[in-house]
Amino acid sequence: MTEAAYLDLIAGRTRGPWAAALRLGLLSASLPYGLAVRTRNRAFDLGLKPVHRAGAPVISVGNLTCGGTGKTPIVADLCLRLQAGGRRPAALSRGYRSLEGEGANDEKLLLDALMPGVPQVQNPDRVAGAKLALQEHGADCLVLDDGFQHRRLGRDLDVALIDATAPFGPGSLRRPGCRGRVLPAGLLRESAAGLRRADLILLTRCDAITADERAAVESALTERAPGTPVVPVAFAPTALIDVAGAARSLDGARGARVGAFCGIGNPAGFRATLEGLGVDVATFEPRPDHHAHTPADVAAIAQRAADAGATALLCTEKDLVKLRTKTFAAASSTNPEPPLPIFAVRIAATYPQGDAALTAALTKAAGSPVGGTNEGAM
């Protein structure tokens, strides 16, 4: 089953007796998974499982659902804020799906571009990674990427990201009161009750829904995590980045007919970004998250876009960094050049209703003042 077919199935868009039977099977499988997650969380709550302190402030950034909620630009934003406040942050991640020959995955390569000079440690053992960041990289504070469910490493600030367009999984925005379902019947890694652990909730892609929808989502979040501040976040495009890493103005894209491709957790969000730029999307070819496009893939995608009248090919910066890798470059030498120039759309986190709650929480966790961006309404 493809990712798209699976999402249609669990969202209820696929109808018929076989679809209903499959959903029932997935729901049956989700019961032991949910029980195991609740048992594990309870063990940490009661102190039956140990929590290891790093000896430096730890800020965790994570989410409830599988798929893209915008963690990477948020991690970069927090690290840059800490750095601007005089701290020496390092980012910790699991290192999921490292690229062959690179020793790093696409998210690390992207963070290298977004926050140059900030060290990153990729290690499935987050406790060991924290020690390495402090001892070998001289960090004095840590940002834990995708850490909401990784409770073994203690944290001073737990930031949970919720995608406003699908807060508790596919279709949840359109179903008032929907609490979502845990894997595999839904996309929740744990039940929505886990939000009570969050010190701060960032409601990402808030600009992709109406004001009434946003109010309904914020109400649902407040119900699940009473007293936890909810900060709306939008991801605004800031520049076009070419394959060499040079930045160009967005003005060159407006009104242009383009082809697009991506391998991210939320391709619909990327398409919405392109449409917001005012480009004419001739072709759009999404792939599963972390997909590694080969030179032949990119050449074929570009050719289809050119045949549809496109004059350029756009992707996410997470996809573009993989086109600069040694493995891709070596393979490209034996493949024809794509018939169109390729650019990534760089995005950055903005805060339409201000970032005072985020700045205050980050300052408290870091133990020293951390400046805010003071972003106003978009």
Side-chain angles (χ1 to χ4, degrees):
M1 181 180 293
T2 65
E3 181 178 355
Y6 169 68
L7 293 176
D8 285 341
L9 177 68
I10 64 175
R13 292 188 289 267
T14 304
R15 303 297 179 87
W18 280 109
L22 283 172
R23 278 192 288 272
L24 182 60
L26 292 175
L27 182 59
S28 298
S30 73
L31 296 177
Y33 171 85
L35 177 61
V37 172
R38 288 195 301 273
T39 301
R40 177 178 178 274
N41 277 327
R42 189 62 175 160
F44 276 110
D45 293 339
L46 295 175
L48 301 177
K49 280 184 171 290
V51 174
H52 300 265
R53 304 303 303 188
V58 174
I59 294 93
S60 170
V61 179
N63 56 8
L64 286 182
T65 57
C66 297
T69 54
K71 288 192 302 293
T72 302
I74 293 295
V75 168
D77 182 46
L78 298 188
C79 285
L80 292 174
R81 286 166 179 259
L82 290 164
Q83 191 179 57
R87 303 305 298 257
R88 299 187 304 278
L92 304 179
S93 66
R94 181 179 182 274
Y96 182 67
R97 289 189 183 179
S98 293
L99 299 174
E100 184 179 352
E102 299 297 319
N105 65 3
D106 48 8
E107 290 173 349
K108 181 182 185 302
L109 295 174
L110 175 55
L111 284 170
D112 283 339
L114 295 178
M115 50 181 208
V118 175
Q120 297 182 62
V121 175
Q122 293 193 320
N123 192 329
D125 185 338
R126 308 299 183 88
V127 175
K131 291 179 180 178
L132 181 64
L134 298 177
Q135 295 172 3
E136 296 193 13
H137 294 282
D140 63 9
C141 58
L142 306 170
V143 176
L144 179 59
D145 187 1
D146 197 14
F148 197 63
Q149 285 78 35
H150 295 274
R151 299 187 60 185
R152 186 166 161 258
L153 180 63
R155 66 285 316 274
D156 299 273
L157 177 64
D158 233 333
V159 181
L161 274 57
I162 296 291
D163 183 346
T165 65
F168 305 113
S172 56
L173 177 65
R174 308 300 175 188
R175 305 202 305 271
C178 174
R179 294 180 178 273
R181 289 175 174 165
V182 298
L183 294 164
L187 292 186
L188 287 175
R189 300 176 177 185
E190 60 176 301
S191 77
L195 280 178
R196 296 192 184 98
R197 299 197 310 274
D199 301 303
L200 186 72
I201 297 173
L202 299 185
L203 184 61
T204 65
R205 300 190 177 93
C206 67
D207 54 329
I209 60 175
T210 67
D212 288 344
E213 288 171 334
R214 185 194 299 184
V217 173
E218 290 181 352
S219 176
L221 296 176
T222 299
E223 176 187 344
R224 289 157 177 77
T228 303
V230 178
V231 179
V233 181
F235 297 123
T238 60
L240 295 178
I241 309 297
D242 64 23
V243 176
R248 304 190 182 193
S249 170
L250 292 170
D251 294 337
R254 303 187 199 284
R257 187 167 175 81
V258 303
F261 69 97
C262 61
I264 59 174
N266 188 347
F270 177 52
R271 179 152 194 163
T273 296
L274 296 178
E275 292 170 349
L277 276 177
V279 301
D280 178 13
V281 181
T283 60
F284 184 74
E285 301 195 30
R287 300 290 186 271
D289 196 14
H290 300 287
H291 179 77
H293 292 89
T294 67
D297 289 338
V298 176
I301 291 170
Q303 188 59 62
R304 288 190 288 271
D307 292 343
T311 58
L313 198 60
L314 299 184
C315 62
T316 72
E317 199 168 0
K318 181 176 172 179
D319 294 295
L320 186 70
V321 293
K322 287 181 282 192
L323 307 191
R324 302 193 195 117
T325 65
K326 291 177 288 187
T327 301
F328 192 95
S332 296
S333 65
T334 62
N335 286 274
E337 286 292 320
L340 297 176
I342 303 173
F343 300 95
V345 181
R346 174 167 288 179
I347 62 170
T350 62
Y351 303 87
Q353 295 180 6
D355 63 350
L358 172 59
T359 300
L362 196 59
T363 294
K364 180 179 179 181
S368 62
V370 176
T373 63
N374 296 316
E375 290 285 354
M378 292 178 62

